[in-house]
Amino acid sequence: MAEPLFQARVLTLFPDMFPGPLGHSLAGRALESGLWSLAATDIRSFAADRHRTVDDTPAGGGAGMVMRADVVARAVDAVHKGGEPLIYFSPRGRPLTQRRVRELVAGKGATLLCGRFEGLDERVIEARAMEEVSLGDFVLSGGEIAALALLDAIVRLLPGVMGKEISGTEESFEAGLLEYPHYTRPPVFEGREIPPVLISGDHGKVAQWRRQMAEEATRARRADLWEEYLKERLARGKNV
Ligand code: SAH
């Protein structure tokens, strides 16, 4: 069989959580057909002592436990392919964007490290030059759901995974805007009609309306994205 388009290596204390939801639907079919691959490795198998310890109390005191640098380093060194991204999920990381997802899709694979407890000893993050990625400004109990979320976003962009029904280029964030709203049958739902332009048959008007709605939604909901969008338009010398 041909090489997978994307090879995911996941380091976790809970390898049974994978592929989890990614074993279903489009991602699951693509995994089965070998379009992408997933290898989940148990960090605990790199512990050195009889009790297979992976964590210890925080230096300086305080609540919780910290994952040991030496154990994590051995796990990383055993599975990570040099030259590919090595991502550690952390609320202290850079928030994930569709742009970063696209960059990852363009590569051959990545190693994804899932933290637990209070997270990793800082020294191993530095020593292995890990890229820290956050799913958003909230705290999960582990990196596994973040890894599944990132992989879901990657896999759906691999050629041959999505049908024509989903266009990868018109979606939220791709043009720096949120997407326009969608409608389908029935024509009237609890007294609410589908915007008439969408059933006018005028493709030019539909495109124009969708653009306008995307801009309005972005301006109203995401001032940060809207500002970026305006800057880019300006930089490209277009009127807004
Ligand atoms: N004490 C840490 C939180 C640890 S949560 C702090 O306050 O920053 C345990 C693990 O869950 C982390 O090591 C990380 O791998 C994962 N995690 C939690 N929130 C996350 C988020 N927003 N994005 C990505 N990973 C997250």
Side-chain angles (χ1 to χ4, degrees):
M1 203 195 289
E3 264 215 348
L5 296 171
F6 192 88
Q7 303 190 354
R9 285 167 284 268
V10 177
L11 287 168
T12 169
L13 288 171
F14 300 97
D16 291 349
M17 289 187 180
F18 296 87
L22 299 182
H24 298 261
S25 190
L26 296 175
R29 252 171 283 152
L31 184 59
E32 229 164 76
S33 69
L35 273 178
W36 67 292
S37 70
L38 175 59
T41 302
D42 191 350
I43 297 170
R44 199 172 291 281
S45 60
F46 297 91
D49 64 328
R50 211 154 50 84
H51 303 288
R52 305 217 298 157
T53 310
V54 295
D55 58 326
D56 213 325
T57 53
M65 298 294 271
V66 176
M67 289 175 81
R68 289 174 58 120
D70 52 352
V71 177
V72 170
R74 277 196 295 275
V76 167
D77 295 345
V79 310
H80 182 55
K81 249 190 175 169
E84 287 188 1
L86 170 58
I87 291 173
Y88 167 52
F89 294 102
S90 164
R92 301 179 68 220
R94 186 186 290 241
L96 185 61
T97 60
Q98 189 69 5
R99 175 174 299 166
R100 186 68 189 120
V101 170
R102 285 245 173 236
E103 287 168 4
L104 290 165
V105 168
K108 290 191 160 153
T111 301
L112 310 180
L113 173 55
C114 307
R116 280 274 156 176
F117 318 116
E118 295 306 323
L120 299 190
D121 185 311
E122 187 69 16
R123 293 170 296 176
V124 70
I125 301 176
E126 291 170 11
R128 293 298 179 273
M130 295 180 194
E131 171 184 349
E132 293 181 77
V133 171
S134 168
L135 216 56
D137 292 342
F138 48 86
V139 181
L140 299 165
S141 52
E144 287 76 14
I145 288 175
L148 290 167
L150 171 58
L151 287 173
D152 183 83
I154 288 172
V155 168
R156 64 193 291 282
L157 294 181
L158 295 174
V161 172
M162 288 196 305
K164 265 211 293 283
E165 68 268 20
I166 316 173
S167 129
T169 51
E170 266 195 29
E171 286 182 314
S172 288
F173 311 117
E174 296 290 357
L177 294 172
L178 301 177
E179 202 183 42
Y180 49 81
H182 299 286
Y183 299 88
T184 185
R185 275 180 278 273
V188 183
F189 165 70
E190 295 184 354
R192 295 161 192 266
E193 293 184 357
I194 293 176
V197 57
L198 295 179
I199 34 189
S200 67
D202 184 333
H203 297 304
K205 277 226 176 86
V206 169
Q208 201 186 353
W209 180 87
R210 284 180 167 165
R211 182 86 195 180
Q212 190 192 330
M213 296 306 281
E215 291 186 349
E216 273 175 28
T218 310
R219 193 172 50 215
R221 298 174 181 201
R222 290 290 301 274
D224 57 329
L225 289 180
W226 181 244
E227 219 164 276
E228 273 302 305
Y229 175 75
L230 292 184
K231 262 194 253 162
E232 288 222 348
R233 292 278 298 239
L234 219 57
R236 278 184 284 142
K238 286 191 191 165
N239 298 324
V240 185

